[in-house]
Amino acid sequence: MLENSTLDRRSLCLAAFLIVSIIFGAAGNLLAQDETVGDSTNEELIAQLGNEQYLVREAAEDQIMKRGAGMLPLLREARRSPDPEVRLRAASLYQQLSDQVRRDNFNRFADMAKDVDLPGWKQFQERHGDTRATRKLYVSILKNEWDVIVALETQPQMIDYLLFQRANKIREDLYGPNHIQISEGTAAAMLHATSFEDIRITDPTMDQLKFLLAAPQVTTSLQDPESASPLLSVFDQWLETNLKSGRFTQEMRFVVLTTCLREGIKSGKIVAKQMLDERASPVYQNGFGQFGAINATQQMMYAMLAIAKLGDKEDIEYLSKYFDDETEVSLPTVQGDHFNTLLKDVALVAVLHLSGENPKDFGYPRISTDPNFLYNIRSIGFTTPEQREQAFQKWEKAQQSKSDEK
């Protein structure tokens, strides 16, 4: 019995010794391999990805990741290696290392490092400046729409097709069953990519951008003091370029106008004046698409309210030229109600607002405010011609009094 017990103890000790020997042997072998791999050139590391020994292949991968961005050109080439093991590992490492380098570059770039070269940044910087907020927005742009920005720089002839496909996908996400919200970076990227006169953008692509202007993330960002400035700069550049190049359809222009009105974007005044100046355009007389109920006179009404909300006293003279415009604004009415609205009524309301006056004090019987559009469009007007005449006479007298005081 004693002999059996002694034998069991000896067996256990021998087994333990063998296990420890194997572990230390493997560890020693791994350390030796790490040292060998660590002394390898970059080219040798790539070759070791196809080594017969698993530990050598793994050690080579670790060493490649440690050496960083300098390994990317070799990994890119190794993805076409005739060795399937090398191809597989090189492809995986290339993606991992690219992501790692990109994250590091983003962090350094956001911290105002000057030696980080990001695609498209020089052009973006020339347009929108170089502040922490601008860099933060640009990082968001690249994180969400890297391919769009790279294509903008390297394949501008493909931008229209790429944007159309991307915009369709975004719209499906936004309005699909999952309601995936778009990011500020995505919205800014789409606006930025369509704000170059020398890059062809077709009507269908521009039309796809309407939904961006209503996205909650965009409107929220425009109200955020930290992010509003660079995003507004991108929006203003987009608006100016597309107005100048004539890319906006009538419908798109109205969407832009109401967005500016709603969000208080000052550049919307440019859109408003263009709409008013082009009132005689034949294509402008009819309704359109989604906004088919918004006829030409209603569009002009919104344009005047936009100037009132977004403009200043310098715009009073511009609006005053509509004081003789007796075109009736076509609005839904109740049978038997004599209340109506002329364009001159809207122009006076806009001028009164810019002058710091209250339209109620000038006899507008139903005037009421609106948080988005300044005044409720159905509340602007008069019940009788006499009310209208008295309102304009009071304004003229007020202006005469100010002139006499000078």
Side-chain angles (χ1 to χ4, degrees), residues 111-316:
D111 287 335
M112 303 301 289
K114 300 296 184 182
D115 60 341
V116 180
D117 185 21
L118 295 179
W121 166 243
K122 184 178 180 181
Q123 191 175 52
F124 193 86
Q125 178 189 13
E126 289 173 353
R127 287 180 159 203
H128 309 296
D130 187 4
T131 65
R132 284 190 178 275
T134 305
R135 288 190 173 217
K136 179 182 177 183
L137 176 62
Y138 198 68
V139 167
S140 180
I141 287 173
L142 289 178
K143 282 183 176 180
N144 289 280
E145 304 297 337
W146 177 276
D147 292 342
V148 169
I149 300 303
V150 170
L152 186 64
E153 191 171 48
T154 61
Q155 294 181 296
Q157 72 279 6
M158 294 296 295
I159 277 293
D160 183 65
Y161 173 78
L162 180 62
L163 289 178
F164 183 78
Q165 298 298 322
R166 182 68 182 113
N168 268 331
K169 179 62 169 63
I170 295 170
R171 187 174 64 173
E172 289 174 5
D173 290 341
L174 188 62
Y175 297 110
N178 296 324
H179 298 290
I180 301 173
Q181 300 299 326
I182 66 172
S183 68
E184 173 189 90
T186 289
M190 302 297 280
L191 294 175
H192 175 62
T194 51
S195 62
F196 295 87
E197 285 190 71
D198 57 345
I199 296 179
R200 179 175 176 270
I201 304 294
T202 59
D203 288 347
T205 298
M206 288 299 297
D207 191 59
Q208 291 296 319
L209 299 184
K210 291 198 300 289
F211 67 90
L212 282 177
L213 303 181
Q217 287 71 23
V218 178
T219 55
T220 299
S221 296
L222 287 170
Q223 302 301 328
D224 182 353
E226 183 178 350
S227 61
S229 180
L231 185 58
L232 274 174
S233 180
V234 173
F235 181 89
D236 288 349
Q237 180 71 59
W238 173 78
L239 187 152
E240 180 183 342
T241 300
N242 289 290
L243 277 180
K244 184 178 179 181
S245 62
R247 287 180 186 157
F248 287 157
T249 61
Q250 303 300 333
E251 182 179 1
M252 185 64 171
R253 189 164 60 175
F254 185 73
V255 171
V256 172
L257 177 76
T258 53
T259 299
C260 292
L261 247 175
R262 186 179 65 244
E263 304 303 329
I265 302 173
K266 297 295 185 181
S267 53
K269 187 173 74 171
I270 304 172
V271 186
K273 287 187 175 181
Q274 187 186 76
M275 291 174 69
L276 289 170
D277 293 342
E278 295 182 3
R279 61 177 295 174
S281 171
V283 297
Y284 194 65
Q285 300 305 312
N286 301 316
F288 39 68
Q290 179 183 352
F291 296 94
I294 306 298
N295 57 47
T297 55
Q298 290 174 18
Q299 293 168 42
M300 294 182 70
M301 186 180 198
Y302 279 106
M304 289 180 184
L305 291 176
I307 295 174
K309 183 176 181 179
L310 308 174
D312 51 40
K313 290 186 177 181
E314 293 181 359
D315 297 305
I316 290 177

Side-chain angles (χ1 to χ4, degrees), residues 289-340:
Q290 179 183 352
F291 296 94
I294 306 298
N295 57 47
T297 55
Q298 290 174 18
Q299 293 168 42
M300 294 182 70
M301 186 180 198
Y302 279 106
M304 289 180 184
L305 291 176
I307 295 174
K309 183 176 181 179
L310 308 174
D312 51 40
K313 290 186 177 181
E314 293 181 359
D315 297 305
I316 290 177
E317 183 178 355
Y318 177 86
L319 289 167
S320 297
K321 67 183 182 181
Y322 290 96
F323 281 0
D324 295 324
D325 194 325
E326 299 197 355
T327 304
E328 184 169 0
V329 180
S330 177
L331 293 169
T333 57
V334 177
Q335 188 174 6
D337 188 355
H338 298 290
F339 186 86
N340 72 333

Side-chain angles (χ1 to χ4, degrees), residues 18-34 55:
L18 290 172
I19 292 171
V20 170
S21 298
I22 292 171
I23 292 173
F24 275 99
N29 187 39
L30 183 59
L31 288 172
Q33 289 169 346
D34 280 344
L55 292 178

